[in-house]
């Protein structure tokens, strides 16, 4: 051992005794070699206690390369003991074995003995290697130290870190693979695809690296902005003047970032935007549509979908327009026009016209004209409009809180589903005698609806099964299982051969009915929690509504999104159908009518709901330009659909209003209370008072539903209009 004492390197002096069998052959080699090796290990251990880096390096070589296994074990034991005692050289050596040389024994020692590296980068690498993700993210919130360890590590460490990150930090792994070869298109695409999965720490690491390597990073950010609507991505793209890696994407990129000058330099007649729209990337489609409607650059949408109006069509001539005509005639002192309006305008407005005529001393012509004038004065004096909904019938068949409430397509049937698991089907003409009233033990219904032909009850249950019952016999005639997420709602197409199903994760499936075979599937709102939907049966379009108020309007025929917009949240829907491109809903104390597909508000009206209540439902009254909003206390507020004009306020004889619907023909209002009581109200008098004479079918008056006095007056006005063909020649200026 004199070489070591004379200044020769301890590593060079002792290596032969540990790593080479150079003992002379004429002596018992094993014993001498073993004695020499033990001595060398003893010296190395003593020098290690003095924090000698060369001794630590020799012990590492011994652990890795000594031909004698006992030497390997003893060398590691020396390192382990010194490391546990806090020896810096020994700790570094154990970390080198564990990380750079991938020694599982050394890694176990680090983990079990809770050794900490003085270098933060090595410590971060260790935490990933021992799968301690929680401590890693806490100590390295930007993953900068882990990145430093990766860049400084050898191939073995890099490979190990990437393997460990595959499940724990897949985004960071994609970043490191890109960082090794930033000009590799495949790795750039993989990194962009991984962006959506990034956690908070991975996002910080991503943006730090993009700014540290701006030339390559700007291309990645531009490509990512094309796929993801992320505010930080956009901000950095604008700062660094980013350009997408593929020049063909430049036009769409500049369109999305609203750099209109550069967009026009790269596109002609929106060709690139339309081409990108047809790539069937739902997220990109929705972003393009939302940007077009927000900025007014929507010419390409009109070319793409010529049948889709992005602005509401002109409303029909409704009651507010009649009121404006009466007001204008009164201001112009046009007695002749006032009398013509009194003869054919909606009955609810006739008292105003009669008052204006009386104030001017109007005298009608003798005979039939005088008789009509007096008849109007007499009837409206005794029965001033508006006429409240009249209670027609009530029934109590649901035990407990109602879950769902539907009307058949023709209004003949009422379906009630209770939280208790009961389904009840009632006839419009006999609410006290249920057609079906049943439970299925062990299962609970979610939604139940009547088929368009009025012959079957179609229901979705909590076991993700569709069950179809015959309304006449009550027997189960069809049954099929559903796949995917929970069903939020479903709709039967008018032809009765397809079922549209909306799921809680935003998936829309079209199924063959009644076989249940899946025909198509689209996910239109990834990442959103779906609260409900509204279906346009005539155009086969669906409005998907998320819990946060995001609404996505989809054309199911072409499988294309038509728009994405925001509605007030939380919403409470009175109907799950779109009526003439209009969606009506209640949000707290607001009644809202929204145009589909543009998302523009047609009407937003604050309702004077008592402080203790809120609006629970809203619905259109068909054919009369009126909407009803219902409060939880049972008050009904009537207003015009095209203005904020109030048309009446009525207190219904109900304890509460949980759900409300109006029959498709507008003749009946149904209200369900919190305890499951069903009330049927006749809307005949209310509705006919809002309709002008020329839009009333005389055949409708034959049914014994109107009050007799109102029926007689309406017939008389219809006969008068027919005989004299009153033409007001409306001026719409």
């Amino acid at each position: 051992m004199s070489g070591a004492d004379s200044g020769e390197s301890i590593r060079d002096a002792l290596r032969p005794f540990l790593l080479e069998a150079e003992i002379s052959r004429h002596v018992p080699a094993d014993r001498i070699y073993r004695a020499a090796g033990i001595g060398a290990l003893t010296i190395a251990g003593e020098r290690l206690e003095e924090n000698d880096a060369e001794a630590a390096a020799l012990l590492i070589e011994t652990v890795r390369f000594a031909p004698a296994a006992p030497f390997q074990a003893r060398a590691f034991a020396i390192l382990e003991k010194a490391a546990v005692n806090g020896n810096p050289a020994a700790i570094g050596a154990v970390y080198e074995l564990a990380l750079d040389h991938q020694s599982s024994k050394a890694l176990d020692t680090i983990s079990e003995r809770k050794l900490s590296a003085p270098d933060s980068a090595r410590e971060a690498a260790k935490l990933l290697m021992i799968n301690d993700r929680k401590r890693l993210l806490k100590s390295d919130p930007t993953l900068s130290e882990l990145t430093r360890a990766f860049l400084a590590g050898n191939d073995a460490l890099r490979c190990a870190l990437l393997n460990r990150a595959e499940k724990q930090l897949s985004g960071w792994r994609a970043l490191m693979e890109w960082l090794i070869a930033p000009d590799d298109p495949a790795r750039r695409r993989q990194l962009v695809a991984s962006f959506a999965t990034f956690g908070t720490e991975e996002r910080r690491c991503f943006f730090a690296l993009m700014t540290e390597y701006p030339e390559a990073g700007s291309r990645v950010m531009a490509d990512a902005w094309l796929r993801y609507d992320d505010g930080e991505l956009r901000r950095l793209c604008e700062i660094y003047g980013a350009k997408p890696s593929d020049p063909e994407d430049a036009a769409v990129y500049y369109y999305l970032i609203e750099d209109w000058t550069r967009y026009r330099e790269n596109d002609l007649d929106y060709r690139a935007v339309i081409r990108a729209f047809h790539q069937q990337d739902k997220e990109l489609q929705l972003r393009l549509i939302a940007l077009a409607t927000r900025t007014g650059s929507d010419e390409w949408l009109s070319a793409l979908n010529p049948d889709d109006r992005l602005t509401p069509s002109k409303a029909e001539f409704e009651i507010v327009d009649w009121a404006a005509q009466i007001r204008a005639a009164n201001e112009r002192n046009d007695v002749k026009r006032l009398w013509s309006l009194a003869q054919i305008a909606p009955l609810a407005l006739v008292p105003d016209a009669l008052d204006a005529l009386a104030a001017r001393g109007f005298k009608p012509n003798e005979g039939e004209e005088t008789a009509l004038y007096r008849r109007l004065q007499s009837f409206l004096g005794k029965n001033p409009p508006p006429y409240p909904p009249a209670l027609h019938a009530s029934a109590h068949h649901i035990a407990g809180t109602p879950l769902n409430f539907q009307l058949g397509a023709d209004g003949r049937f009422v379906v009630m589903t209770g939280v208790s698991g009961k389904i009840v089907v009632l006839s419009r003409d006999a609410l006290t005698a249920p057609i079906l009233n049943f439970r299925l033990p062990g299962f609970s219904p979610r939604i139940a609806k009547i088929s368009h032909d009025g012959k079957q009850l179609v229901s979705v249950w909590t076991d993700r099964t569709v069950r179809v019952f015959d309304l006449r016999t009550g027997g189960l005639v069809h049954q099929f299982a559903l796949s995917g997420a929970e069903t939020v709602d479903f709709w039967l197409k008018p032809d009765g051969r397809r079922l549209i199903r909306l799921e809680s994760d935003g998936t829309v499936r079209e199924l063959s009915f009644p076989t249940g075979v899946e025909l198509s599937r689209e996910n239109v709102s990834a990442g959103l929690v779906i609260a409900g939907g509204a279906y346009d049966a005539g155009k086969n379009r669906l409005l998907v509504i998320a819990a946060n108020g995001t609404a996505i309007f989809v054309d199911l025929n072409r499988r294309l999104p038509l728009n994405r917009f925001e509605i007030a949240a939380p919403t409470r829907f009175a109907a799950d159908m779109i009526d003439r491109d209009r969606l009506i809903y209640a949000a707290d104390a607001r009644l809202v009518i929204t145009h589909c597909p543009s998302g523009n508000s047609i009407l937003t009206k604050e309702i004077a709901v008592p402080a203790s209540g809120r609006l629970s439902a809203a619905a259109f009254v068909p054919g009369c330009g009126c909407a009803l909003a219902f409060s939880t206390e049972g008050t009904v507020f009537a207003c015009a659909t095209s203005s904020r004009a109030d048309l009446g306020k009525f207190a219904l004889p109900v304890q509460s209003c949980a759900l409300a619907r109006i029959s498709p023909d507008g003749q009946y209002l149904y209200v369900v209370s919190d305890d499951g009581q069903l009330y049927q109200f006749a809307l005949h008098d209310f509705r006919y008072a809002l309709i002008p004479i020329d839009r009333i079918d005389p055949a409708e008056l034959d049914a014994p539903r109107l009050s007799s006095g109102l029926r007689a007056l309406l017939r008389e006005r219809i006969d008068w209009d027919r005989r004299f063909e009153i033409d007001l020649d409306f001026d719409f200026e």
Side-chain angles (χ1 to χ4, degrees), residues 99 102 149-164 172 180:
L99 300 181
Q102 293 298 297
F150 177 84
L151 294 176
N154 58 15
D155 290 343
L157 177 58
R158 288 185 176 187
C159 184
L161 290 175
L162 291 177
N163 288 337
R164 292 299 174 98
W172 179 83
I180 294 172

Side-chain angles (χ1 to χ4, degrees), residues 14 55 139 162 219 230 259 332 439 450 482 539 566 616 722:
L14 299 181
S139 61
L162 291 177
R219 291 195 295 271
D230 185 276
D259 188 338
R332 292 197 298 262
R439 287 188 180 91
I450 300 294
L482 298 172
K539 298 179 179 179
E566 301 297 321
S616 58
R722 281 181 167 181

Side-chain angles (χ1 to χ4, degrees), residues 209-219 221 240:
L209 287 175
M210 294 304 108
T211 54
E212 187 175 348
Y213 302 94
E215 183 177 351
S218 63
R219 291 195 295 271
M221 291 190 292
Y240 289 96

